[in-house]
Amino acid sequence: MFEREIRLNGLMNRLLTGMLADMEEAQLLAPISDVGNPPAWILGHLAVCNDYALRMLGGPRLAPAEWHKRFGRGMSPKDDPSPLPSKKELVEKLAEGREHLAAALPKADPERMNQPHNVELFKDSPIQTQADILAHLLTTHFAGHVGQLSVWRRTHGKPPLV
């Protein structure tokens, strides 16, 4: 189960890795715009989303508990002015989550995955099942945030990767 989503997530992770290769630690703290989040915050958010997906599959939480409060949906770096995690921490936590997801997703119970989700945000949307939520987290949600980082790169004078 989720073979296609795993491949698409792998593609987006490869693109993300390329984007981060020439980003220095200090650059991760520069917001995308006056109203946008810095790359470090986006990476923390993606790590927390990996945890959310893992929990849906019965797996463990990998990111620190404070990350879940800090990088969750609707939160902002303005909500917590303390220093953001380092690039190394963020990249390692993302990689750890990706590895755990790649191992857990093929073992997902199809019956459970076809059950309705309980995410209020998607209540009246085409996303109706647990599997839909997981597919969204692995593909469209992840790609949207990679797109934000792509915009960041261009506005900060970095060349395109594709």
Side-chain angles (χ1 to χ4, degrees):
M1 203 167 182
F2 295 107
E3 294 84 7
R4 178 175 291 133
E5 290 86 353
I6 292 168
R7 286 193 308 273
L8 293 171
N9 184 261
L11 173 68
M12 295 312 299
N13 272 291
R14 189 168 67 186
L15 184 58
L16 176 61
T17 298
M19 288 181 176
L20 296 175
D22 63 353
M23 290 173 84
E24 297 173 22
E25 188 82 33
Q27 291 177 313
L28 289 174
L29 304 177
I32 290 174
S33 68
D34 292 340
V35 294
N37 294 320
W41 191 94
I42 293 169
L43 297 175
H45 175 69
L46 291 173
V48 165
C49 289
N50 280 348
D51 272 8
Y52 183 77
L54 284 168
R55 298 290 299 219
M56 288 180 70
L57 295 163
R61 174 186 285 183
L62 302 173
E66 60 270 13
W67 286 25
H68 286 263
K69 294 176 190 148
R70 187 172 201 184
F71 302 119
R73 186 170 113 23
M75 299 305 290
S76 159
K78 295 174 182 88
D79 298 326
D80 183 349
S82 63
L84 291 163
S86 70
K87 178 181 179 180
K88 182 179 188 281
E89 287 176 283
L90 292 162
V91 169
E92 285 176 354
K93 202 51 66 184
L94 276 168
E96 183 181 10
R98 187 169 51 249
E99 289 169 17
H100 277 78
L101 279 170
L105 285 161
K107 300 173 191 169
D109 175 21
E111 186 175 324
R112 181 174 175 206
M113 291 297 103
N114 284 320
Q115 295 297 311
H117 67 74
N118 61 359
V119 180
E120 187 64 29
L121 177 67
F122 297 113
K123 181 182 171 196
D124 295 321
S125 79
I127 296 174
Q128 294 295 305
T129 66
Q130 298 283 326
D132 291 342
I133 293 288
L134 284 169
H136 169 64
L137 288 171
L138 292 165
T139 61
T140 50
H141 176 265
F142 195 91
H145 287 300
V146 169
Q148 289 175 322
L149 294 173
S150 179
V151 169
W152 182 97
R153 287 182 58 79
R154 298 309 298 274
T155 60
H156 286 80
K158 301 239 181 240
L161 296 177
V162 287

